[in-house]
């Protein structure tokens, strides 16, 4: 894609669309192809053919790469044809209606409630980054017209980091579990950064997940305060999480691995061994909760480790 001049043209068009999006009046928002066309006219380029070519290429790639998909058609999000203007327009209007309360949701509770309803609506499926990337990126562009702020971070944590990690690193059964998470409107967080890591987030991981051969379980543990998961976006309101921890087997470290866990029970209470602390008021984006998280020998089933590449 990098060396394809047509894709470079599309990238320029998308950038121009982003610059001009503030000029689009409410009720006149356009679909992805129309937005690209509007931007393209200012650049003197022609985009529809590029979009059709891109859609064809993505469709071919999906048919080859995702033959192991186990979601049924009824479980996936509504059909989305990136080459059909009417479909794009209808979906755009539904998505914008679903996020209409974002500007008024100025505290974490209300902001989280808006996202829960969006998740349950299934307008955007957790697997759309894989199965319908055109829709996935259109949703991000449309959200930018409403206002990003803390909700923009919350949205990308939910769909890109939490669900995206499961789609990219999980086995078929783990990816299939996203269906139930979405139907319940559960929120997820991505627990990577640790208190001592600073800019070395991901390179310093002292949280451990040790395999207990006797019980066939993992034991997730924060060995010290400096290993606490830090500034975790949506960490205070999330029921689920993908945590990055050092896999330890027989006393030997095997490096960072990803694990899927539940953080709260059906009543919203934290599960035993999990401590979550709100990190307080920030200078901006206070509609987003950020948390510090500790684990005290939390037991996870064997199936918790995302196992597309490790089992």
């Amino acid at each position: 894609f990098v060396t394809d001049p047509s894709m470079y043209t599309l990238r320029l068009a998308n950038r121009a669309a982003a610059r001009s999006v503030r000029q689009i009046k409410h009720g006149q928002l356009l679909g992805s192809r129309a937005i690209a066309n509007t931007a393209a006219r200012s650049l003197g380029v022609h985009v529809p053919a590029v979009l059709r070519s891109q859609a064809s290429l993505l469709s071919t790639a999906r048919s080859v790469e995702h033959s192991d998909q186990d979601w049924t058609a009824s479980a996936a999000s509504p059909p989305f044809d990136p080459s059909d203007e009417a479909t794009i327009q209808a979906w755009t209007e539904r998505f914008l209606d679903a996020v209409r309360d974002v500007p008024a949701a100025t505290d974490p509770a209300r902001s989280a409630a808006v996202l829960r309803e969006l998740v349950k609506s299934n307008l955007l499926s957790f697997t759309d980054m894989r199965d319908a990337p055109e829709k996935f990126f259109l949703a991000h562009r449309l959200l930018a017209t409403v206002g990003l702020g803390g909700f923009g971070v919350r949205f990308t944590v939910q769909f890109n980091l939490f669900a995206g990690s499961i789609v990219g690193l999980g086995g078929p059964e783990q990816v299939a579990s996203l269906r139930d998470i979405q139907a319940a409107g559960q929120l997820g967080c991505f627990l990577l950064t640790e208190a001592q890591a600073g800019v070395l987030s991901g390179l310093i991981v002292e949280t451990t997940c040790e395999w207990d051969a006797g019980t066939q379980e993992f034991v997730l543990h924060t060995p010290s305060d400096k290993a606490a998961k830090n500034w975790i976006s949506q960490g205070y309101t999330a029921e689920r999480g993908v945590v990055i921890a050092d896999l330890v087997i027989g006393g030997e470290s095997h490096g960072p691995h990803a694990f899927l866990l539940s953080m709260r029970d059906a009543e919203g209470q934290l599960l035993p061994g999990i401590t979550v602390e709100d990190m307080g008021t920030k200078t901006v984006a206070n509609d987003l909760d950020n948390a510090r998280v500790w684990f005290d020998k939390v037991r996870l089933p064997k199936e918790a480790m995302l196992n597309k590449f490790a089992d």
Side-chain angles (χ1 to χ4, degrees):
F1 285 105
V2 173
T3 57
D4 185 340
S6 64
M7 294 308 297
Y8 178 70
T9 297
L10 179 59
R11 192 155 58 241
L12 287 177
N14 281 334
R15 288 176 182 171
R19 286 196 300 271
S20 63
V21 78
R22 288 189 297 272
Q23 301 172 9
I24 302 176
K25 295 180 180 179
H26 180 70
Q28 295 178 323
L29 290 163
L30 307 175
S32 60
R33 189 163 75 174
I35 288 174
N37 280 333
T38 301
R41 282 195 291 273
S42 68
L43 296 170
V45 296
H46 188 63
V47 169
V50 176
L51 281 168
R52 285 195 297 271
S53 176
Q54 182 188 31
S56 176
L57 178 61
L58 289 168
S59 177
T60 301
R62 288 197 296 270
S63 67
V64 173
E65 186 176 348
H66 308 303
S67 58
D68 62 342
Q69 179 181 348
D70 59 358
W71 281 41
T72 65
S74 60
S77 55
F80 183 86
D81 182 357
S83 66
D84 181 64
E85 291 283 3
T87 299
I88 293 171
Q89 182 67 32
W91 189 89
T92 294
E93 292 172 358
R94 292 177 63 194
F95 182 85
L96 289 172
D97 184 62
V99 297
R100 67 187 182 280
D101 293 331
V102 167
T106 56
D107 64 78
R110 286 191 291 173
S111 179
V114 172
L115 184 58
R116 289 184 199 282
E117 291 304 311
L118 176 62
V119 167
K120 286 193 290 187
S121 75
N122 205 32
L123 275 170
L124 190 67
S125 168
F126 286 153
T127 58
D128 277 343
M129 68 158 51
R130 179 192 70 184
D131 302 329
E134 306 92 342
K135 187 206 306 186
F136 180 78
F137 289 111
L138 173 57
H140 288 69
R141 290 197 294 272
L142 291 172
L143 189 58
T145 71
V146 177
L148 292 175
F151 189 85
V153 177
R154 186 184 297 281
F155 177 89
T156 54
V157 165
Q158 180 77 23
F159 286 92
N160 303 32
L161 291 179
F162 170 71
S165 294
I166 298 170
V167 170
L169 301 175
E173 291 184 1
Q174 293 164 331
V175 174
S177 74
L178 287 171
R179 178 176 49 208
D180 293 334
I181 295 173
Q182 180 143 29
Q186 290 185 326
L187 301 186
C189 61
F190 183 69
L191 302 115
L192 170 63
T193 303
E194 297 185 356
Q196 70 164 348
V199 297
L200 298 178
S201 177
L203 297 177
I204 297 177
V205 177
E206 292 193 355
T207 299
T208 59
C209 205
E210 186 169 4
W211 175 242
D212 184 338
T215 63
Q216 294 288 290
E217 295 174 309
F218 291 105
V219 182
L220 179 65
H221 188 62
T222 305
S224 67
D225 282 347
K226 68 179 183 179
K229 296 300 182 179
N230 203 48
W231 282 109
I232 303 304
S233 296
Q234 197 163 263
Y236 199 77
T237 53
E239 293 89 5
R240 308 296 292 266
V242 170
V243 61
I244 306 301
D246 182 15
L247 174 62
V248 179
I249 302 177
E252 180 182 354
S253 167
H254 290 268
H257 284 66
F259 299 83
L260 174 62
L261 75 154
S262 294
M263 297 180 64
R264 296 180 180 272
D265 61 21
E267 284 71 45
Q269 300 300 310
L270 288 169
L271 293 174
I274 301 177
T275 300
V276 176
E277 178 183 273
D278 182 9
M279 299 197 71
T281 302
K282 308 181 288 291
T283 56
V284 295
N286 284 298
D287 54 324
L288 172 69
D289 53 287
N290 294 89
R292 185 175 286 123
V293 184
W294 293 261
F295 302 102
D296 184 11
K297 298 180 180 178
V298 176
R299 290 195 167 262
L300 304 176
K302 181 181 179 181
E303 297 76 24
M305 186 170 73
L306 299 185
N307 60 8
K308 183 175 183 179
F309 302 107
D311 203 357

